[in-house]
């Protein structure tokens, strides 16, 4: 499936003429910079299959926007001939690895807006988390790279798999971004203007996003008390077994991806972060 094919589908099904203006850099998965006839700017992503996930994501984003959450509006979230197309308003802003305590507090406050945000809870959050620890996920959280990389990653994989023990029904009434890290936050003039990359959001436990944020801030310049405050909030809202499972998922996600896509020093970094998280009280 090519970008031009997707542009043609949008024109055919929705009468919207779009012109590619480049791609956005910085993420692990590409996003296209698009312009409309009137000069409007959009972010376009698409994938083949699983159209329901895109529609659900747009519905969850709409609920959060009603709560005042700064998320760009989805102009289009539709299935077109087996292709899920997600077209979102563009918001001007920049990411930053400088994360102040004020920024940490703002991100914690936003996370509370996700709590009890689901119109109805689904039963697949527990399956998603436990399944990732036991079997892995499609395209990420793969087990085999850890099993074969070296003795450290093989031992970590065993720890990750054991982290599924004792995890029963997880909270599923919240809206979860699933990739809530500081490089998915846009700032303009010192003001938080948007949290982006919501295509994979789902119902579940919003405390998971705080574990993700804690992991992500290991590559930011943030006061030490910032990460401590985030972990204190995780502890307040989870049991030891739950936060261990969430930490194990993030350890698997980061170490697997680093083995397959990044230089060896990234693997070393995430092994250290994983060890810290899995031993944290």
């Amino acid at each position: 499936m090519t970008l031009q094919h997707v542009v043609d589908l949008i024109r055919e099904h929705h009468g919207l003429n779009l012109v590619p203006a480049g791609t956005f850099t910085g993420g692990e998965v590409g996003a296209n910079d698009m312009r409309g006839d009137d000069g409007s700017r959009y972010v376009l992503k698409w994938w083949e299959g699983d159209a329901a996930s895109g529609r659900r994501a747009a519905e969850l984003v709409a609920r959060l926007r009603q709560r005042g959450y700064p998320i760009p509006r989805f102009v289009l979230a539709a299935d077109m001939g087996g292709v899920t197309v997600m077209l979102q308003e563009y918001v001007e802003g920049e990411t930053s690895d400088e994360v102040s305590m004020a920024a940490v507090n703002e991100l914690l406050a936003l996370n509370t807006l996700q709590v009890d945000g689901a119109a109805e809870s689904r039963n697949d959050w527990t399956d998603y988390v436990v399944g990732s620890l036991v079997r892995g996920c499609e395209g990420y959280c793969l087990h085999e790279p850890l099993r074969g990389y070296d003795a450290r990653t093989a031992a970590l994989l065993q720890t990750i798999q054991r982290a599924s023990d004792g995890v029963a029904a997880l909270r599923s009434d919240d809206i979860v971004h699933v990739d809530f890290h500081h490089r998915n936050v846009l700032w303009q003039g010192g003001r938080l203007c948007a949290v982006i990359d919501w295509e994979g959001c789902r119902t579940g436990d919003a405390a998971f996003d705080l574990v993700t944020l804690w992991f992500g801030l290991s590559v930011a310049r943030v006061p030490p008390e910032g990460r401590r405050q985030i972990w204190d909030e995780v502890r307040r809202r989870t049991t030891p077994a739950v936060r261990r499972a969430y930490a194990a998922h993030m350890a698997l996600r980061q170490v697997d991806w680093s083995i397959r896509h990044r230089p060896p020093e990234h693997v070393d970094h995430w092994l250290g972060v994983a060890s810290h998280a899995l031993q944290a009280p």
Side-chain angles (χ1 to χ4, degrees), residues 91-107 110 181-195:
V91 173
E92 193 72 45
E94 297 180 348
T95 62
S96 177
D97 282 343
E98 297 286 346
V99 182
S100 66
M101 278 305 301
V104 168
N105 288 328
E106 195 164 1
L107 294 173
L110 285 181
H181 57 77
H182 67 287
R183 290 176 180 168
N184 273 334
V185 181
L186 300 182
W187 303 85
Q188 190 173 48
R191 179 182 63 87
L192 193 160
C193 55
V195 179

Side-chain angles (χ1 to χ4, degrees), residues 1-277:
M1 182 67 61
T2 66
L3 173 59
Q4 187 57 53
H5 187 191
V6 174
V7 169
D8 292 342
L9 286 173
I10 294 172
R11 182 182 300 112
E12 176 186 349
H13 288 267
H14 295 274
L16 181 59
N17 295 315
L18 297 174
V19 177
T23 57
F24 295 102
T25 60
E28 301 289 0
V29 179
N32 291 277
D33 186 356
M34 311 297 294
R35 308 298 166 88
D37 286 340
D38 60 355
S40 298
R41 194 173 181 183
Y42 304 98
V43 179
L44 172 64
K45 296 182 182 181
W46 79 89
W47 58 86
E48 297 186 48
D50 196 15
S53 66
R55 290 192 295 269
R56 284 197 302 267
E59 291 167 1
L60 294 174
V61 162
R63 291 183 63 82
L64 285 177
R65 282 173 53 85
Q66 290 175 349
R67 292 183 167 201
Y69 208 115
I71 308 174
R73 179 177 66 94
F74 277 108
V75 177
L76 189 60
D79 172 42
M80 303 177 199
V83 179
T84 299
V85 175
M86 305 291 285
L87 187 68
Q88 197 169 26
E89 291 176 325
Y90 173 81
V91 173
E92 193 72 45
E94 297 180 348
T95 62
S96 177
D97 282 343
E98 297 286 346
V99 182
S100 66
M101 278 305 301
V104 168
N105 288 328
E106 195 164 1
L107 294 173
L108 285 169
L110 285 181
N111 184 265
T112 65
L113 294 179
Q114 299 170 222
V115 175
D116 293 326
E120 59 181 4
S121 61
R122 294 168 56 85
N123 297 322
D124 58 356
W125 178 245
T126 304
D127 292 341
Y128 169 70
V129 174
V130 173
S132 71
L133 305 181
V134 175
R135 299 179 300 276
C137 301
E138 185 175 350
Y140 68 104
C141 286
L142 304 185
H143 287 203
E144 197 56 38
L146 275 73
R147 186 174 288 112
Y149 184 77
D150 65 17
R152 298 171 303 163
T153 59
L156 174 62
L157 179 61
Q158 293 181 340
T159 300
I160 288 167
Q161 292 172 324
R162 288 195 298 268
S164 65
D165 296 343
V167 177
L170 297 170
R171 178 183 178 85
S172 59
D173 299 320
D174 307 338
I175 298 175
V176 187
H177 183 291
V178 185
D179 198 21
F180 187 78
H181 57 77
H182 67 287
R183 290 176 180 168
N184 273 334
V185 181
L186 300 182
W187 303 85
Q188 190 173 48
R191 179 182 63 87
L192 193 160
C193 55
V195 179
I196 59 173
D197 283 356
W198 287 86
E199 290 80 12
C201 72
R202 58 196 301 160
T203 58
D205 180 2
F208 176 89
D209 280 348
L210 297 183
V211 176
T212 306
L213 178 62
W214 185 90
F215 266 76
L217 288 178
S218 69
V219 297
R221 293 176 289 276
V222 58
E225 60 265 32
R227 292 182 79 213
R228 284 198 297 267
Q229 186 169 327
I230 291 167
W231 196 259
D232 285 346
E233 181 65 10
V234 172
R235 292 183 63 209
R236 188 182 71 80
R237 288 164 47 182
T238 62
T239 65
V242 168
R243 58 181 171 270
R244 182 174 175 82
Y246 291 168
H249 173 99
M250 287 307 305
L252 174 60
R253 185 190 298 187
Q254 292 290 2
V255 174
D256 161 53
W257 196 263
S258 295
I259 290 171
R260 292 186 291 126
H261 299 286
R262 297 171 180 154
E265 57 266 27
H266 286 237
V267 178
D268 296 340
H269 170 82
W270 291 114
L271 282 170
V273 176
S275 177
H276 186 185

